Amino acid sequence: PAAVASPNGVSLGGVRQGSLAGRVGARAAASARSARRVALAAAAAETKEAAPTAEVEEPALESDAGVDYTTLRDLLKAGEWEKADNEHRRLMCVLAGEDAEDRGWVYFTEVKQFPVKDLKTIDNLWTFYSDGKFGFSVQRKIWIGKKRQWAKFFKEIDWVQGENNAYRKWPEEFIWKKEAKKGHMPLTNALRGTQLLNALLEHPAFAPPAKPKNAADQAAEAMEQMGDNLKKAMGGGMPGLKGLKKPSWMK
C-alpha cells in the first residue's frame, strides 16, 4: 500500500514498518535472555549434583583420663540406647575412680575431679547420634529453662509419670527410643537426691565460668576459713563440763 503522509511530512507507512521491526527485535532479545537463564540454571544444577556431599565429622574420642569411649560411640551409633546408657553409667564410675567402680555408682563429690575433655566427649557423642535430643548439655538447657526447679525439669524430660509425678521404674519404664522426650537420656539416679545430677549439670564442661568474686565475697570467705582454722586448733571446740568436780568453795 502507498505510504500516507502525516501532517509534519513523515511517512506513516515507514513508521509502522520501523515499529514492527523494533518489536520483532525486542522479542528476539527477550527470547535470547530467557534461553541464557535456562542454560545457566541447568549448569548450576549440574554443578550442584556433581559436587561431593560434605560428610559431617563424628566427634573425636578425646580423653584426659585415658578412657576408651569406642564402645559408647558404637552403641549410640547403632541406636542401642539402653545398652549405651549402661555403658555411659560404667564410664562415670571409671572417671570417678576405683572406689566408684567397686560400689557401682558415683558420689556427687567425685564429679568435680572429672576432666572437662572427657565429659565433653561423652556429651558430644550423645548429642551427635541423637541429633541434638540427648546429652548433659541438652539437659542443662532444659533445667535452666525451668529455673532449676527439679520437679518441673523431671516432668519435662519424662522421668516421672502419673498424677503424683512418681519416678519411672528403672529400667523397664524408661523410654529407650530416639522418639523419647528431649533430654530423656542419659539417666542419672535421683532417688537418693539431686546432688549428683546438680554436680554434673554445673560442671565446668557445661556451665559458664564463674564470675570473679568481689572484695566482700573474698573477705567473707577469709573470715569463714579463719573460723574453721580456729575450731581445728581448739580441737573441735571447748571441752564439755561433764566429769569436772565442783570447787571446794561451792556447796
Side-chain angles (χ1 to χ4, degrees):
V4 179
S6 68
N8 57 9
V10 178
S11 171
L12 296 180
V15 171
R16 284 197 295 270
Q17 290 175 357
S19 176
L20 178 61
R23 288 197 298 272
V24 171
R27 291 195 190 101
S31 178
R33 287 195 297 271
S34 177
R36 283 197 297 272
R37 285 196 295 269
V38 171
L40 289 172
E46 289 178 2
T47 302
K48 186 176 181 180
E49 290 177 359
T53 304
E55 294 184 1
V56 180
E57 189 174 349
E58 294 183 345
L61 304 184
E62 298 178 322
S63 174
D64 280 340
V67 178
D68 184 7
Y69 296 105
T70 304
T71 300
L72 177 63
R73 179 201 62 192
D74 294 345
L75 290 170
L76 289 170
K77 190 173 184 179
E80 296 282 355
W81 302 107
E82 184 174 0
K83 292 180 180 179
D85 193 76
N86 290 336
E87 173 66 6
H88 164 92
R89 193 173 302 105
R90 185 190 72 81
L91 291 170
M92 292 289 102
C93 292
V94 172
L95 290 176
E98 293 182 0
D99 290 341
E101 290 186 81
D102 292 338
R103 79 174 86 96
W105 47 277
V106 178
Y107 280 125
F108 75 95
T109 54
E110 295 169 329
V111 172
K112 60 185 177 182
Q113 73 188 37
F114 288 5
V116 168
K117 183 175 290 185
D118 287 70
L119 279 183
K120 281 187 174 293
T121 294
I122 292 172
D123 185 64
N124 289 339
L125 290 171
W126 276 105
T127 56
F128 182 83
Y129 291 110
S130 67
D131 294 330
K133 289 195 68 174
F134 307 138
F136 286 131
S137 59
V138 176
Q139 291 175 344
R140 177 179 167 81
K141 288 179 182 177
I142 297 172
W143 181 51
I144 297 299
K146 296 299 178 181
K147 309 298 183 184
R148 290 182 166 86
Q149 298 181 42
W150 292 110
K152 292 182 178 180
F153 169 70
F154 291 149
K155 189 171 183 178
E156 180 64 26
I157 64 175
D158 209 11
W159 281 9
V160 295
Q161 58 184 345
E163 295 180 358
N164 298 325
N165 289 330
Y167 285 107
R168 292 180 178 273
K169 293 180 181 178
W170 181 84
E172 64 270 17
E173 290 185 352
F174 282 88
I175 304 169
W176 307 108
K177 298 178 181 178
K178 193 175 181 180
E179 292 73 29
K181 289 288 289 292
K182 190 172 184 177
H184 192 69
M185 290 178 266
L187 304 187
T188 301
N189 191 337
L191 292 177
R192 292 189 296 269
T194 57
Q195 289 177 306
L196 174 58
L197 187 53
N198 186 92
L200 286 165
L201 299 185
E202 292 284 30
H203 192 278
F206 313 116
K211 295 181 180 179
K213 296 177 181 178
N214 56 35
D217 292 336
Q218 293 176 359
E221 283 190 0
M223 291 295 294
E224 185 177 353
Q225 185 64 44
M226 288 175 61
D228 291 341
N229 293 339
L230 182 61
K231 287 181 181 180
K232 291 178 181 179
M234 296 176 65
M238 293 293 290
L241 299 177
K242 187 178 179 180
L244 294 180
K245 294 181 179 181
K246 292 182 180 180
S248 58
W249 51 266
M250 291 185 68
K251 303 294 183 183

